[in-house]
Amino acid sequence: METYVDAIGVDTEATTTTETTAKQNKKKLKVMVAMDESKNSFYALEWAVEHLRDVISAEPETDQAGGLLTLVHVHPTYLQYIYPSGGTASAMYAIDSVPESMKKAREESTTKLFTRSLEICRGKLVKTETMILEGDPKEMICQAVEQTHVDLLVVGSRGLGMIKRAFLGSVSDYCAQHAKCPILIVRPPRETSTSSSTKEHKSK
Amino acid sequence: MATGEEKPVMVVGVDESEQSTYALEWTLDRFFAPYAPNFPFKLIIVHAKPNAVSAVGLAGPGTAEVVPYVDADLKHTAVKVIEKAKALCLSKSVHGAMIEVFEGDARNILCEVVDKHHASLLVVGSHGYGAIKRAVLGSVSDYCAHHAHCSVMIVKKPKIKV
């Protein structure tokens, strides 16, 4: 704890230009974490909170305000793709009644998801907020990054192989190429990644 | 999980591009400079010097004479990159960073260094290639994001929209 006080002392001794940039950069980071129900995104959140603790948590001893941690969850809306293949009147009716029960189920799962996430963030001295969006996950996440001007985007990675990634699409891939801010891709721990690679060998 | 006093290791890959310098500077600014002298990570900077023979591989006849010149040029570039990295670290008062140079393909070298030091985080810049350039030239940041055994942070230099 004393080391943080020493750091302030070092900053004031520096020259004026480095002092102003140091003061600017001492501001804690605004980090956005993309969540879905998968195990990997919870692991990504845990990893981010653990390793980025130093750069986002507030330091009460030095009155250093903490950064901001935004948890964003995107509801994928795949329902719209059903229309072109349907085409008959009966198909359209079926779709109208489905969304209500689906909406309830989605709300429940989202609440569960955020409750679990906020548990992970508890006690870490960082302002946490949650955001729910609807649409294509990849595009919505990149849009959210642009709108909120975060410093860093954190995503999990399903550890898909090249072939699966080409067919299923990868949110982390798309975000790495299109997000306007630096992106941190958290790999799942060794044990799960080796098990997924052996599965792929079997399928090949 | 950190074992007692050990700090997690952060590996930063650099090459001679501007994006790479920007990535290193951003990382130093956000993760190291404000916390002097007690940095939250142990920093290792890695430069992969391309192999001269692989660099001229597609040149065709007469490559044998060209190779020594290419090699000298690559060595010269590598030295410049290292000097720039050292200067950046000094300007941000970041001491104790380890700087390593290896020869070969950047993708493999970065992944190997991560394994060797059991790094928890790999930081790379991104040239911001479009889909076609990416398919032809390949992307080191893409490769590392999928194959490194640790989390990967890709730092892009923001493009100014005209």
Side-chain angles (χ1 to χ4, degrees):
Chain A
M1 295 304 130
E2 290 137 20
T3 50
Y4 289 119
V5 177
D6 286 338
I8 297 280
V10 168
D11 281 344
T12 52
E13 281 164 14
T15 61
T16 45
T17 47
T18 51
E19 186 184 312
T20 44
T21 47
K23 282 227 178 88
Q24 262 174 20
N25 295 322
K26 187 115 171 102
K27 217 167 34 144
K28 299 288 179 163
L29 291 182
K30 284 170 61 173
V31 177
M32 175 178 280
V33 182
M35 308 284 306
D36 62 9
E37 285 93 9
S38 74
K39 210 166 41 150
N40 283 332
S41 73
F42 282 109
Y43 178 76
L45 177 61
E46 282 171 19
W47 194 97
V49 166
E50 160 89 29
H51 285 83
L52 301 178
R53 183 172 20 113
D54 298 307
V55 295
I56 57 174
S57 301
E59 295 164 31
E61 305 91 22
T62 56
D63 280 336
Q64 175 66 47
L68 178 65
L69 182 63
T70 310
L71 306 176
V72 63
H73 175 62
V74 185
H75 283 312
T77 49
Y78 296 124
L79 295 173
Q80 59 211 34
Y81 294 119
I82 299 175
Y83 285 99
S85 58
T88 61
S90 56
M92 302 227 0
Y93 283 132
I95 288 160
D96 275 351
S97 58
V98 161
E100 282 169 30
S101 47
M102 280 199 66
K103 262 191 200 166
K104 260 197 168 174
R106 281 198 326 202
E107 272 171 32
E108 270 181 39
S109 69
T110 313
T111 323
K112 257 197 282 181
L113 185 143
F114 279 132
T115 319
R116 238 182 105 182
S117 320
L118 291 171
E119 268 298 317
I120 298 175
C121 302
R122 193 184 296 240
K124 303 289 179 192
L125 287 178
V126 59
K127 199 164 88 175
T128 309
E129 65 179 26
T130 57
M131 205 193 248
I132 305 178
L133 300 170
E134 241 185 69
D136 188 11
K138 329 194 253 273
E139 289 168 23
M140 296 314 291
I141 292 177
C142 293
Q143 261 184 45
V145 161
E146 263 181 89
Q147 282 163 10
T148 55
H149 300 293
V150 289
D151 299 309
L152 182 63
L153 171 67
V154 180
V155 295
S157 158
R158 282 182 286 179
L160 297 176
M162 254 179 32
I163 299 179
K164 272 193 191 164
R165 194 176 285 119
F167 286 114
L168 297 177
S170 168
V171 172
S172 54
D173 252 2
Y174 183 92
C175 292
Q177 288 182 28
H178 293 90
K180 302 278 183 223
C181 73
I183 179 170
L184 177 63
I185 302 175
V186 181
R187 309 265 314 161
R190 274 284 179 102
E191 310 79 51
T192 52
S193 60
T194 46
S195 64
S196 64
S197 61
T198 48
K199 270 188 210 157
E200 282 174 31
H201 283 304
K202 281 183 190 163
S203 63
K204 281 178 193 164
Chain B
M1 291 296 143
T3 54
E5 307 296 320
E6 271 181 45
K7 276 195 257 197
V9 178
M10 181 192 282
V11 176
V12 181
V14 292
D15 65 7
E16 60 275 359
S17 67
E18 260 182 51
Q19 289 86 356
S20 179
T21 315
Y22 176 83
L24 179 59
E25 200 172 340
W26 189 92
T27 310
L28 288 175
D29 269 343
R30 296 319 194 112
F31 286 83
F32 291 89
Y35 307 101
N38 197 24
F39 306 120
F41 288 93
K42 179 165 164 350
L43 177 64
I44 301 180
I45 301 180
V46 177
H47 173 60
K49 169 180 157 316
N51 199 346
V53 177
S54 62
V56 294
L58 304 167
T63 51
E65 294 103 39
V66 178
V67 168
Y69 293 108
V70 173
D71 198 42
D73 188 49
L74 287 174
K75 283 212 174 88
H76 186 63
T77 315
V79 167
K80 265 202 298 194
V81 169
I82 298 299
E83 292 305 309
K84 210 168 22 169
K86 276 196 204 154
L88 259 177
C89 287
L90 265 166
S91 71
K92 312 279 175 194
S93 328
V94 176
H95 304 290
M98 218 165 94
I99 306 190
E100 298 187 346
V101 184
F102 294 99
E103 185 168 318
D105 194 349
R107 294 171 252 233
N108 299 324
I109 285 174
L110 284 178
C111 294
E112 273 172 37
V113 171
V114 161
D115 283 337
K116 191 167 86 168
H117 295 276
H118 300 291
S120 30
L121 184 57
L122 170 65
V123 183
V124 288
S126 163
H127 286 221
Y129 289 148
I132 298 181
K133 264 193 186 171
R134 214 173 259 263
V136 173
L137 298 173
S139 170
V140 173
S141 55
D142 249 6
Y143 183 91
C144 291
H146 301 144
H147 293 91
H149 291 141
C150 69
S151 305
V152 178
M153 183 155 72
I154 303 177
V155 182
K156 279 181 287 224
K157 188 167 175 180
K159 286 190 197 158
I160 304 169
K161 279 198 177 148
V162 177

